[in-house]
C-alpha cells in the first residue's frame, strides 16, 4: 500500500490536499489507522486523478461529490453541465484577450498622436449605450452616474475604457458653459447581450475637429480653447455636441483614461488635404 506522501507524489498533489479530501468525503484512503495514518491502493490513483482534473476545471467540491455519487451511467448529465461551464469560461477568456488586444493596439496608435494639436479626422460611425442626462461635472455627480450606468453592464465591458466617455451639450462658441453643461455617459455597444434595455445613440460617420488632451479639467479647457481657435482659422462650422472619448490606459480612479479626445462634428465641407490620417 501507499503512504499518503507517496500517493500525493504519484498524483502530483500535496499531502494536505489528500487530508482535506478525506475530511470532505471526496477521496478517502483505503485504510486509516487509529492514529490517523492513511494508506492507499494503487488502484485509487485513477479516481484521484479524475477528481484533480475536475478541480482544475474550477468545479467545486460539492459538484465533484455530486458527480462521484452518481452511478457511472448517470454521470453524463453532470459532466455535460461541467462542460457547459468550461465553455463559458473559455468565452470569458476570449473576451479578456480581445480587451487586452484592443488596449495594446490603442496604446500603440496613441504613441503617434500629439497632445494639444487640433486636427480634422474622419471618424467611423459608432453606436453607444448611453446613461441618463446629468448636470455638472462634479466628482460626486460623475461617480453616481458611473455607478448607475455600469451596473447595467458586465465587468469585462467596464475593463475596456476605449470607445467610452461623455456626450456633452456644448457649443464651440459658448465654451464658458462647459462646467455647467448637461452630459451623458457613453460606452460603445459590444457583442454581449444585456437583459436590461439600455438606451443607445449614434456618433455618425463624419469629419470631426479633434484634439487629444490630458483628461483633467485644466487639460480639457485648454483643448477646447485650442479647438475654438482652430475652427475659426479653418472656417469650420460645428454641431453643438462635444464628444469626449477616452484614449489610452490604464483607467484612472474616476473610470476614465489618462488622455481623452475632444471631438466636434464638422457641418460644412472640408478640403481633403486638411484631413489627418487616423
Amino acid at each position: 500500500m501507499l503512504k499518503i506522501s507517496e500517493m500525493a507524489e504519484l498524483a502530483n498533489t500535496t499531502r494536505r490536499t489528500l487530508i482535506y479530501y478525506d475530511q470532505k468525503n471526496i477521496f478517502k484512503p483505503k485504510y486509516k489507522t487509529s492514529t490517523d495514518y492513511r494508506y492507499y491502493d494503487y488502484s485509487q490513483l485513477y479516481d484521484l486523478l479524475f477528481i484533480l482534473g475536475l478541480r482544475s476545471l474550477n468545479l467545486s467540491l460539492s459538484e465533484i461529490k455530486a458527480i462521484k455519487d452518481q452511478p457511472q451511467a448517470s454521470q453524463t448529465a453532470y459532466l455535460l453541465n461541467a462542460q457547459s461551464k468550461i465553455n463559458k469560461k473559455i468565452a470569458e477568456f476570449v473576451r479578456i484577450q480581445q480587451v487586452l488586444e484592443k488596449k495594446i493596439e490603442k496604446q500603440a496608435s496613441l504613441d503617434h498622436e500629439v497632445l494639444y494639436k487640433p486636427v480634422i479626422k474622419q471618424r467611423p460611425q459608432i453606436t453607444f449605450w448611453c446613461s441618463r442626462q446629468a448636470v455638472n461635472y462634479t466628482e460626486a455627480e460623475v461617480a453616481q452616474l458611473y455607478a448607475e450606468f455600469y451596473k447595467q453592464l458586465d465587468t469585462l465591458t467596464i475593463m475596456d475604457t476605449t470607445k467610452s466617455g461623455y456626450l456633452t451639450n456644448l457649443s464651440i462658441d459658448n465654451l464658458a458653459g462647459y462646467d455647467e453643461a448637461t452630459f451623458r455617459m457613453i460606452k460603445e455597444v459590444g457583442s454581449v447581450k444585456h437583459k436590461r434595455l439600455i438606451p443607445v445613440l449614434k456618433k455618425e460617420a463624419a469629419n470631426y475637429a479633434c484634439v487629444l488632451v490630458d483628461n483633467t479639467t485644466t487639460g480639457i479647457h485648454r483643448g477646447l480653447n485650442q479647438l475654438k481657435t482652430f475652427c475659426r482659422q479653418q472656417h469650420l462650422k460645428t454641431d453643438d455636441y462635444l464628444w469626449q472619448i477616452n484614449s489610452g490606459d490604464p483607467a484612472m480612479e474616476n473610470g476614465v483614461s489618462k488622455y481623452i479626445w475632444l471631438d466636434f462634428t464638422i457641418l460644412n465641407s472640408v478640403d481633403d488635404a486638411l484631413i489627418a490620417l487616423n
Side-chain angles (χ1 to χ4, degrees), residues 163-204:
K163 296 296 185 294
S164 64
Y166 305 94
L167 175 62
T168 304
N169 296 332
L170 185 70
S171 168
I172 203 167
D173 296 319
N174 185 32
L175 299 182
Y178 173 80
D179 293 333
E180 289 76 36
T182 59
F183 66 96
R184 296 179 186 273
M185 189 167 287
I186 58 176
K187 176 74 187 76
E188 183 180 10
V189 172
S191 59
V192 177
K193 295 181 179 179
H194 296 275
K195 294 181 180 179
R196 300 185 183 185
L197 294 176
I198 307 175
V200 297
L201 54 83
K202 288 183 180 179
K203 184 184 183 189
E204 299 294 345

Side-chain angles (χ1 to χ4, degrees), residues 15-237:
R15 180 176 178 275
R16 178 177 295 181
T17 297
L18 293 182
I19 294 173
Y20 182 66
Y21 285 177
D22 182 14
Q23 293 170 342
K24 294 297 181 179
N25 293 319
I26 298 296
F27 181 74
K28 302 191 76 65
K30 192 71 172 180
Y31 173 72
K32 186 160 59 174
T33 69
S34 58
T35 53
D36 281 345
Y37 281 94
R38 294 169 173 85
Y39 293 91
Y40 300 84
D41 274 346
Y42 281 99
S43 61
Q44 291 183 274
L45 174 64
Y46 308 102
D47 189 28
L48 176 58
L49 292 177
F50 178 67
I51 294 170
L52 293 172
L54 293 179
R55 282 296 290 150
S56 70
L57 298 176
N58 207 30
L59 268 69
S60 67
L61 291 182
S62 60
E63 290 173 318
I64 294 173
K65 192 173 188 305
I67 293 173
K68 283 175 56 59
D69 288 345
Q70 295 296 316
Q72 189 73 27
S74 303
Q75 290 184 359
T76 302
Y78 287 88
L79 294 174
L80 287 174
N81 182 55
Q83 184 183 49
S84 176
K85 291 184 177 182
I86 294 166
N87 289 336
K88 289 180 180 179
K89 285 291 182 183
I90 291 173
E92 288 180 7
F93 286 133
V94 169
R95 286 194 62 209
I96 291 172
Q97 183 182 40
Q98 291 172 344
V99 167
L100 295 177
E101 286 175 349
K102 286 177 68 176
K103 288 178 182 291
I104 294 170
E105 179 182 353
K106 192 69 179 180
Q107 188 61 52
S109 63
L110 182 63
D111 291 340
H112 300 288
E113 302 290 352
V114 180
L115 289 172
Y116 303 105
K117 181 182 178 182
V119 292
I120 298 173
K121 284 181 175 282
Q122 289 181 330
R123 301 292 202 195
Q125 178 178 291
I126 302 177
T127 303
F128 292 97
W129 288 304
C130 67
S131 71
R132 64 173 172 83
Q133 187 164 272
V135 183
N136 299 329
Y137 279 95
T138 64
E139 183 178 357
E141 179 74 12
V142 171
Q144 178 63 34
L145 192 64
Y146 184 89
E148 290 177 9
F149 184 46
Y150 279 97
K151 189 181 292 184
Q152 303 175 83
L153 306 175
D154 62 90
T155 304
L156 290 178
T157 302
I158 298 173
M159 282 178 57
D160 186 4
T161 59
T162 58
K163 296 296 185 294
S164 64
Y166 305 94
L167 175 62
T168 304
N169 296 332
L170 185 70
S171 168
I172 203 167
D173 296 319
N174 185 32
L175 299 182
Y178 173 80
D179 293 333
E180 289 76 36
T182 59
F183 66 96
R184 296 179 186 273
M185 189 167 287
I186 58 176
K187 176 74 187 76
E188 183 180 10
V189 172
S191 59
V192 177
K193 295 181 179 179
H194 296 275
K195 294 181 180 179
R196 300 185 183 185
L197 294 176
I198 307 175
V200 297
L201 54 83
K202 288 183 180 179
K203 184 184 183 189
E204 299 294 345
N207 291 321
Y208 288 82
C210 317
V211 65
L212 182 65
V213 303
D214 291 300
N215 202 356
T216 62
T217 301
T218 301
I220 290 171
H221 279 288
R222 176 183 170 185
L224 288 173
N225 286 322
Q226 289 179 325
L227 271 181
K228 182 176 182 179
T229 300
F230 177 75
C231 289
R232 285 181 175 177
Q233 292 173 342
Q234 302 299 331
H235 308 290
L236 302 175
K237 296 179 181 179

Side-chain angles (χ1 to χ4, degrees), residues 262-277:
L262 307 179
D263 292 6
F264 280 102
T265 310
I266 299 173
L267 301 178
N268 55 333
S269 59
V270 176
D271 186 341
D272 289 344
L274 296 176
I275 300 175
L277 295 176

